[in-house]
Amino acid sequence: MADRKPIESWLTDMDGVLIHEGIPIPGADAFIKKLRESGKPFLVLTNNSIYTPRDLHARLNRMGLEVPIENIWTSALATAQFLDDQRPGGSAYVLGEAGLTTALHDIGYILTDHAPDYVVLGETRTYSFEAMTKAVRLINDGARFICTNPDETGPSAEGPLPATGAVAALITKATGKQPYFAGKPNPLMMRTGLNAIGAHSETSAMIGDRMDTDVLAGMEAGMQTFLVLTGLTRPEQIENFPYRPSRVVDSIADLVDRI
């Protein structure tokens, strides 16, 4: 295999890599600190569309992780960027929280349930039957179906929660329409993120804890990929996939010296 170019910019997933159930993973603070001191472009990514970058900045700050707002990239931002490119100044019916509605407001979208261009489904802890019924009817009437991410479950202290992908499957069953997913593993999220920090895939790396989203998206975007074992993917599961990360490490602490 040809030698890769030195890594000049870093993208890292958040949950399972930097934090776990609201607690920083050992080494995360040192990794972020060294990244900031190096001056290298970097992004902290999350498929969760509930929170705005400002919310996440405050959340991480409380845990001792100093991540500037401009270094946070969410599936909501990737979705908004996609819609702005596809249909500037459009309209959408949104099932989601402030992270998604704020991102769409910021690109000038009108949020409406009257003949919207799109139905946009994101993460929320309060999916309502009424809202899902409205989404189904609008899609049947011609609205295009967009989802922030395909994750079927999300983590919580009590155990897995149904997430965007699971609700998307329900709406697909009711409409016969498949959504377009903007978040990981769609390499679109990685490419828009790289563009946001002026980085190039050939000299960038993606760190994640999931083979099916983080590693796949990084690989398809042309980046080096590092799988950490502090999240969802276990060592014995790696061989179940037809692709491999560039390297497997125990945790983010093992990558501090790579910066």
Side-chain angles (χ1 to χ4, degrees), residues 121 127 132 145-147 149-151 163-175 177-179 181:
L121 174 66
Y127 291 114
M132 287 187 283
F145 187 19
I146 304 291
C147 288
N149 68 86
D151 298 39
T164 311
V167 179
L170 182 155
I171 294 174
T172 292
K173 270 292 187 182
T175 62
K177 301 288 179 63
Q178 294 283 345
F181 294 104

Side-chain angles (χ1 to χ4, degrees), residues 17-19 24-34 64-65 252-253 256:
V17 179
L18 300 178
I19 62 174
I25 289 172
D29 54 345
F31 183 81
I32 295 296
K33 184 173 184 289
K34 192 165 182 183
L65 301 178
I252 193 75
V256 174

Side-chain angles (χ1 to χ4, degrees), residues 21 153-162:
E21 294 182 0
T153 60
S156 79
E158 294 79 28
L161 297 170

Side-chain angles (χ1 to χ4, degrees), residues 47-161:
N47 252 2
N48 191 314
S49 64
I50 289 178
Y51 305 106
T52 67
R54 184 170 294 155
D55 296 332
L56 292 171
H57 163 76
R59 180 185 175 202
L60 292 169
N61 189 56
R62 287 194 300 271
M63 300 178 202
L65 301 178
E66 284 285 345
V67 181
I69 294 172
E70 60 270 21
N71 294 103
I72 296 173
W73 191 248
T74 71
S75 64
L77 293 176
T79 300
Q81 179 69 64
F82 170 74
L83 294 180
D84 193 36
D85 291 341
Q86 291 281 307
R87 189 177 290 263
S91 60
Y93 176 68
V94 177
L95 289 82
E97 300 287 346
L100 182 55
T101 56
T102 301
L104 292 175
H105 272 303
D106 287 348
I107 62 163
Y109 255 56
I110 295 169
L111 306 188
T112 179
D113 62 358
H114 178 68
D117 297 315
Y118 299 96
V119 166
V120 184
L121 174 66
E123 210 77 65
T124 176
R125 295 290 181 257
T126 56
Y127 291 114
S128 76
F129 186 77
E130 181 182 1
M132 287 187 283
T133 300
K134 173 70 76 173
V136 166
R137 291 173 180 169
L138 291 172
I139 292 167
N140 283 337
D141 287 342
R144 299 153 188 85
F145 187 19
I146 304 291
C147 288
T148 56
N149 68 86
D151 298 39
E152 294 166 354
T153 60
S156 79
E158 294 79 28
L161 297 170

